[in-house]
């Protein structure tokens, strides 16, 4: 038996590119169009697993309903928290502290933003969402993974 798991990132949320973390912004019109273009009309999947955040969940629910597919919402697929960066653009973060994003991209575990985040949970639990997406499926699964862009 072969299992195929397709990982997809959500389309653009309302407000454009920002470090959202746990902020639950919905998809913009552009984001809905991006998702529709990425998926098309023909679905190879037998089920969908999605982050419960609205920017992932809303399209996953629409697609699952339209095609009669089971949908599982999994909190472990949520984007990690970005603490004091949440809601800010890259330009705003860099203006406040030049070089911050370069340090973060070079070492995301040790140079993460101050404030509440889910980094330890994410790093410890990384294999589990993958197992959820690939378990108990005969053909394929689509996972909406909520990751920073």
């Amino acid at each position: 038996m072969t299992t195929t798991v397709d990982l997809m990132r959500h389309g653009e949320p309302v407000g454009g590119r920002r470090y959202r973390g746990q902020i639950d912004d919905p998809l913009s019109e552009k984001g809905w169009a991006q998702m529709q273009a990425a998926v098309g009309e023909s679905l190879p999947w037998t089920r969908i697993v999605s982050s419960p955040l609205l920017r992932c969940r809303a399209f996953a629910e629409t697609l699952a309903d339209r095609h009669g597919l089971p949908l599982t919402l999994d909190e472990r697929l949520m984007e990690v928290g970005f603490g004091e960066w949440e809601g800010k653009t890259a330009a705003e973060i860099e203006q406040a502290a030049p070089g911050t994003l370069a340090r973060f991209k070079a070492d995301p575990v040790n140079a993460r933003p101050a404030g509440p985040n889910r980094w330890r949970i994410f790093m410890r639990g990384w294999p589990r969402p993958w197992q959820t997406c690939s378990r108990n499926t005969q053909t394929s699964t689509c996972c909406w993974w909520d990751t920073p862009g």
Side-chain angles (χ1 to χ4, degrees):
M1 175 174 70
T2 300
T3 298
T4 302
V5 177
D6 293 316
L7 300 178
M8 298 184 72
R9 186 174 188 275
H10 59 78
E12 180 182 271
V14 170
R17 294 182 60 96
R18 300 182 173 279
Y19 284 83
R20 281 187 171 73
Q22 304 300 296
I23 295 174
D24 202 10
D25 290 333
L27 288 174
S28 65
E29 286 184 34
K30 179 180 177 181
W32 278 93
Q34 290 169 330
M35 295 306 299
Q36 199 57 44
V39 170
E41 293 301 318
S42 174
L43 296 185
W45 309 302
T46 56
R47 69 188 193 123
I48 297 172
V49 181
S50 174
S51 162
L53 290 175
L54 193 55
R55 57 187 172 262
C56 297
R57 186 186 77 230
F59 188 79
E61 287 173 341
T62 299
L63 201 62
D65 287 347
R66 185 181 318 141
H67 295 279
L69 296 175
L71 170 64
T72 301
L73 300 178
D74 190 327
E75 288 186 6
R76 296 168 299 181
L77 298 177
M78 290 171 57
E79 186 170 352
V80 297
F82 280 104
E84 63 187 15
W85 294 356
E86 289 202 10
K88 295 182 180 176
T89 65
E92 291 168 334
I93 294 166
E94 279 299 304
Q95 183 179 1
T100 296
L101 291 177
R103 287 188 296 278
F104 173 70
K105 288 177 182 180
D107 186 3
V109 173
N110 295 308
R112 64 185 181 267
N117 58 58
R118 302 173 68 232
W119 285 98
R120 284 195 176 92
I121 295 168
F122 177 79
M123 297 305 284
R124 217 178 30 241
W126 170 250
R128 292 186 189 110
W130 177 257
Q131 291 165 352
T132 298
C133 288
S134 62
R135 181 183 321 132
N136 299 326
T137 182
Q138 295 296 320
T139 55
S140 62
T141 299
C142 180
C143 274
W144 265 269
W145 210 277
D146 196 14
T147 61

